[in-house]
Amino acid sequence: MYVPDIRRVATVLASAALAAGMALVGAGSAQAAPVADAADGAQVSTVPATTSTGARSGLGVAEQASSYWTAERMRTALSADLLVKGAKAKSDRAARPTGAAQSVAPAAPTVPVSAGLAGATAGGPTTAVAASATVGKVFFYNPADGKNYVCSAGTVNSGSKLLVMSAGHCVHGGRGGQWMQNWIFVPLYNYGSEPYGRWSAKYLTTFTAWINDSNLDRDVAWITMWPNASGQRPVDVLGGNGLSVNYSYEQFVTILAYPAAPPYDGGWQQYCQGTTFRPGIWPFQENKIALRCGFTGGSSGSVWLRLYNDAYGYVNGIMSTLSSDGTNKSSYFDTAVMDAYNSVANRT
């Protein structure tokens, strides 16, 4: 097993504070009809995003979702690790390299942005990592338990310029659960400040393997956003990360996230850097990539970026779970991930 260079990891592992086997996952879900077939039978389902409140006169769905999120609700939203745990990986042929490595190129914003620096803990590397406007905090309402939650997410370049990626459990509760509601993305969130405003979800998409079986091998989601109140698309304003699939399990990545459970507070972007590895012991290795970051609840859905250039990179993973030793894991990105992306890339 490859061991990452932990000298490059700018986080506090705080193992004593981590619950054994803690998963940053959600509760169960109701299923929508699959709308696309991905490689090796991996299907995705898409539904229109909805709100938890009745229609308000003069407000569309996007405005209703946005207006739901008062400062108090955002401040008190819970980290997603507090949702029902117990989802497991169910590795199969669809969760490993299924073809040649492929990439979608990132896109620069139409107006240059000044992002600031991502947070680093004491003792971290002296070279600062720039925070990215492509990364933000996600807020959503879980109708299964009537509570508000937080995740992380990042933009991804596509024909629509409206696409955001996050974890499957940040859009749907998994087996027996429901689709999340009041879903908004707040890029570069900074202790209540919203320098780029907020975007509301228009469509939610994730693998049916997550919806039906809470399969962590497919804990990945795509969210098509409404344009913001000024009619702007998120990738045009923020830039969009690229996408990589079928790369080796060992990739140097930068993870930008909003961990919200102790020892973090979810107020500002935190970063972790290192070389990913395939978890497990041969021949019983998981079809995942992993890095010992110790990121806690709230970091679910954060993008794992290859070739990060202090503005954007290539999404090569999405934060899914946390183990008791501080190891974070992501679904391995195979051809099914690219096929799913292609099925939603031009949706408006």
Side-chain angles (χ1 to χ4, degrees):
M1 180 179 70
Y2 183 83
V3 178
D5 180 3
I6 60 175
R7 293 174 299 175
R8 299 298 303 275
V9 178
T11 62
V12 174
L13 295 183
S15 297
L18 305 177
M22 177 166 61
L24 311 182
V25 300
S29 150
Q31 180 185 1
V35 296
D37 286 319
D40 295 319
Q43 296 178 318
V44 293
S45 292
T46 296
V47 298
T50 60
T51 63
S52 64
T53 56
R56 295 171 57 186
S57 177
L59 290 182
V61 173
E63 291 80 11
Q64 289 182 63
S66 181
S67 64
Y68 174 85
W69 289 102
T70 63
E72 177 64 12
R73 282 174 170 157
M74 296 170 83
R75 186 185 65 80
T76 58
L78 304 173
S79 300
D81 65 300
L82 298 177
L83 296 171
V84 174
K85 301 165 188 163
K88 297 180 180 179
K90 297 181 181 179
S91 298
D92 56 24
R93 290 179 302 170
R96 60 190 63 174
T98 51
Q102 304 176 56
S103 290
V104 171
T110 56
V111 177
V113 298
S114 178
L117 300 177
T121 57
T126 55
T127 301
V129 170
S132 176
T134 69
V135 174
K137 197 165 182 176
V138 166
F139 298 88
F140 58 89
Y141 171 83
N142 181 10
D145 63 10
K147 297 179 181 178
N148 298 318
Y149 289 92
V150 294
C151 276
S152 299
T155 64
V156 61
N157 186 30
S158 71
S160 72
K161 306 298 182 183
L162 294 169
L163 209 57
V164 167
M165 288 186 70
S166 190
H169 68 264
C170 298
V171 302
H172 190 284
R175 184 172 57 188
Q178 302 177 44
W179 291 94
M180 304 306 178
Q181 298 179 318
N182 305 337
W183 208 98
I184 68 166
F185 172 62
V186 185
L188 210 67
Y189 178 89
N190 183 5
Y191 287 102
S193 173
E194 302 175 22
Y196 296 97
R198 54 180 70 175
W199 277 265
S200 299
K202 186 175 184 179
Y203 295 105
L204 307 176
T205 299
T206 191
F207 286 104
T208 56
W210 170 257
I211 294 170
N212 294 335
D213 299 320
S214 296
N215 184 351
L216 290 171
D217 286 345
R218 294 299 185 197
D219 188 17
V220 183
W222 295 261
I223 303 90
T224 303
M225 313 304 295
W226 289 95
N228 65 11
S230 299
Q232 298 169 317
R233 301 178 296 183
V235 172
D236 289 335
V237 176
L238 309 168
N241 295 294
L243 176 66
S244 294
V245 305
N246 290 326
Y247 277 71
S248 74
Y249 292 92
E250 298 179 4
Q251 296 289 323
F252 185 83
V253 299
T254 299
I255 302 174
L256 295 168
Y258 283 85
Y264 303 98
D265 63 7
W268 177 238
Q269 269 186 43
Q270 304 293 321
Y271 76 94
C272 171
Q273 289 182 311
T275 300
T276 59
F277 60 96
R278 187 178 183 180
I281 301 174
W282 188 89
F284 304 107
Q285 289 175 291
E286 301 175 51
N287 287 309
K288 296 182 178 298
I289 59 173
L291 194 61
R292 295 190 181 98
C293 291
F295 277 171
T296 59
S299 63
S300 290
S302 60
V303 287
W304 296 28
L305 300 174
R306 295 176 52 252
L307 304 177
Y308 180 60
N309 67 359
D310 279 347
Y312 38 79
Y314 292 79
V315 182
N316 195 62
I318 291 288
M319 186 77 78
S320 178
T321 62
L322 172 66
S323 301
S324 58
D325 65 353
T327 299
N328 291 107
K329 297 179 183 179
S330 162
S331 305
Y332 176 78
F333 277 20
D334 63 354
T335 303
V337 172
M338 183 63 76
D339 288 349
Y341 161 84
N342 287 331
S343 76
V344 298
N346 295 315
R347 179 177 288 133
T348 58

